[in-house]
Amino acid sequence: MPNARAARPTRRGILAAGGALGLGAVLAACGDEDTGSGGSASTGGASAGSGPWTFKDDRGTTVKLDKIPANIVAFTGVGAALHDYGIQVKGVFGPTRTAAGKADVQAGDMDVSKVTVLGNVWDEFNVEKYAALAPDVLISTMFDDAGTLWYVPEASKDKIAKLAPSVGVSVYDRQLTAPLQRMWELAESLGADMTAAAVTDAKKKFEAAAARLRAAAKAKPGIKVMAGSASAELFYVSGTDLSIDLEYFKALGVNFVEPPASAKAQGGGWYESLSWENVDKYPADIIMMDDRSSTIQPADITEATWKKLPAVKAGQVIARSPEPILSYAKCVPLLETLAEALEKAKKVS
C-alpha cells in the first residue's frame, strides 16, 4: 500500500493509502451468493469437512455449501483471527511478509511459511494460484457500506468471484465489539471450539481490559489522545467516527482529538492530512501511531516538528493497530496499552 497521496486523491487512492484510514474505493462486492434476510446460521462445533454449512455475512449475503469449508482463503488479518480460534486458512492476501521476510504485524501468530501468499501488497492477487488452491470460500473485511471486499483488486474481482463464494465482515462505522462478535460467530460456524479455555479466557481478559480502560479514561478526563499515521510527505490525524477501535475507545470515555468534518473531507471522512510543518495543529498528551508496515514508525520519523511535540518529548507515544486482528486475544493488548498510557500520562499539551 503506497504511503504517498496525490494532491487530490481518488476514492481508490484513499482506500489504498497505507498511513491513513480513508477507505471507500469503488470496488464492487464479489461473489454470486444468494441473498437472504435472516440472521447468520452456523454449524458451530462441527468438524471441518462436515456440513452442510451456511453463513450470512454483513452484506446480507448468505453462503450455502454442502460442507464446512476446508480450503479457506482470507485477507491476512482475517486469517490471523481465525488462527487464534484454531481455524487454519490455506491462502492469504494482504500484508503478510515484511521486506525482511518476517511475518507482518497483520499476520499475527500465523506461520506465514505454511500459507500460500496470493498477494502481499495492494492490488496484488495471483488469480492462478488462487484457483490452484481449489478454494471453498474467500473471506475478507469491508471498510465501506458498499460491500467492498478489502484487498480484492478491482481489475480481477470478477474472475475471483467466479472461483468461490465470498464472506464479508464489516469493520466500518461500528464499535470494535461488533466485528469481534461476528468473527467469533464465523469461527464457530467453521468448526472452532469456542468453549476452549484459551478462547473463553481471552474474552474474559478483553472484558477486564475494557473495564480498565474505562476506569483510566474516567480518572484522566483531561488527557487528550491523538491517533496519527506518518508518511514521508504528510502526517494524518484520524477522526473517531468510522474506525472500529477509536469508536470503541471513545465510547469507553477516552478523550480524542477530533478534526472537523470539513478537514476530514479529503480523507473520505476518516482523517485530516497535515504537512509536517503543521503537525502541531492539535494539542495532544498521548499520540497513538499507526503500526502497519506501510507507514513510517515513530523511531524513524526525522522531522524536527515531530520531535518538538510535547507528547513526543514526554515519551507518551504508543502503537495503534488501525486494522485490528479480530480475535479477543489480539485485541486485549490494544486496550491494555492505551489504558496503561492513560494511567501514566502527564498533561503536557
Side-chain angles (χ1 to χ4, degrees):
M1 293 190 290
N3 288 323
R5 282 97 173 152
R8 297 182 64 185
T10 62
R11 293 189 71 204
R12 182 171 177 79
I14 290 171
L15 183 69
L21 303 178
L23 308 161
V26 193
L27 301 175
C30 293
D32 300 319
E33 304 86 353
D34 295 329
T35 300
S37 58
S40 62
S42 70
T43 53
S47 60
S50 65
W53 183 79
T54 178
F55 190 85
K56 183 175 180 179
D57 74 0
D58 290 338
R59 298 170 297 182
T61 298
T62 300
V63 179
K64 297 179 180 179
L65 299 174
D66 293 336
K67 60 181 181 179
I68 293 177
N71 293 345
I72 301 170
V73 172
F75 170 68
T76 301
V78 171
L82 292 176
H83 172 85
D84 286 354
Y85 291 126
I87 303 296
Q88 309 304 321
V89 301
K90 295 294 179 66
V92 294
F93 54 95
T96 307
R97 296 191 183 102
T98 65
K102 297 181 179 180
D104 188 274
V105 64
Q106 294 192 64
D109 293 329
M110 277 195 304
D111 184 343
V112 297
S113 69
K114 295 183 178 179
V115 293
T116 298
V117 181
L118 303 175
N120 199 58
V121 297
W122 181 257
D123 243 0
E124 181 180 85
F125 192 113
N126 191 313
V127 180
E128 289 71 25
K129 282 188 177 181
Y130 179 56
L133 290 174
D136 294 321
V137 68
L138 178 147
I139 309 172
S140 191
T141 48
M142 302 181 298
F143 282 89
D144 60 24
D145 56 6
T148 303
L149 294 174
W150 189 227
Y151 266 78
V152 172
E154 170 72 15
S156 55
K157 64 181 178 63
D158 292 336
K159 292 181 180 178
I160 293 168
K162 291 177 181 178
L163 294 170
S166 61
V167 167
V169 176
S170 179
V171 289
Y172 175 74
D173 195 17
R174 61 202 61 204
Q175 293 182 25
L176 177 60
T177 46
L180 270 174
Q181 178 61 30
R182 291 296 281 145
M183 192 61 68
W184 174 289
E185 293 167 359
L186 178 59
E188 184 176 34
S189 79
L190 292 170
D193 180 4
M194 311 312 285
T195 64
V199 173
T200 57
D201 288 350
K203 191 170 185 179
K204 290 177 182 177
K205 289 179 180 178
F206 178 89
E207 293 165 353
R212 178 185 175 185
L213 179 54
R214 187 189 296 275
K218 185 176 182 180
K220 298 281 187 75
I223 296 296
K224 201 77 173 178
V225 180
M226 180 168 66
S229 185
S231 75
E233 295 82 10
L234 298 168
F235 183 82
Y236 306 90
V237 179
S238 177
T240 62
D241 295 336
L242 302 176
S243 300
I244 57 172
D245 61 329
L246 301 185
E247 283 200 12
Y248 184 53
F249 299 157
K250 181 172 67 174
L252 292 175
V254 178
N255 183 12
F256 279 102
V257 167
E258 188 69 58
S262 58
K264 294 184 291 184
Q266 193 178 43
W270 292 82
Y271 61 88
E272 177 180 1
S273 304
L274 298 175
S275 67
W276 282 104
E277 290 76 16
N278 295 315
V279 72
D280 60 352
K281 179 177 180 179
Y282 297 106
D285 304 296
I286 296 173
I287 303 177
M288 304 175 69
M289 288 297 291
D290 188 338
D291 69 354
R292 290 176 293 181
S293 57
S294 54
T295 68
I296 299 177
Q297 297 306 299
D300 299 319
I301 298 175
T302 59
E303 300 289 341
T305 49
W306 163 262
K307 294 179 179 180
K308 291 179 181 178
L309 292 178
V312 175
K313 293 171 68 175
Q316 295 180 172
V317 178
I318 62 174
R320 175 195 170 214
S321 299
E323 295 182 56
I325 293 173
L326 296 173
S327 71
Y328 286 101
K330 289 297 183 293
C331 288
V332 168
L334 309 184
L335 295 165
E336 291 182 336
T337 297
L338 181 53
E340 182 179 8
L342 283 169
E343 291 162 356
K344 295 180 177 180
K346 296 178 180 179
K347 185 68 178 176
V348 294
S349 65

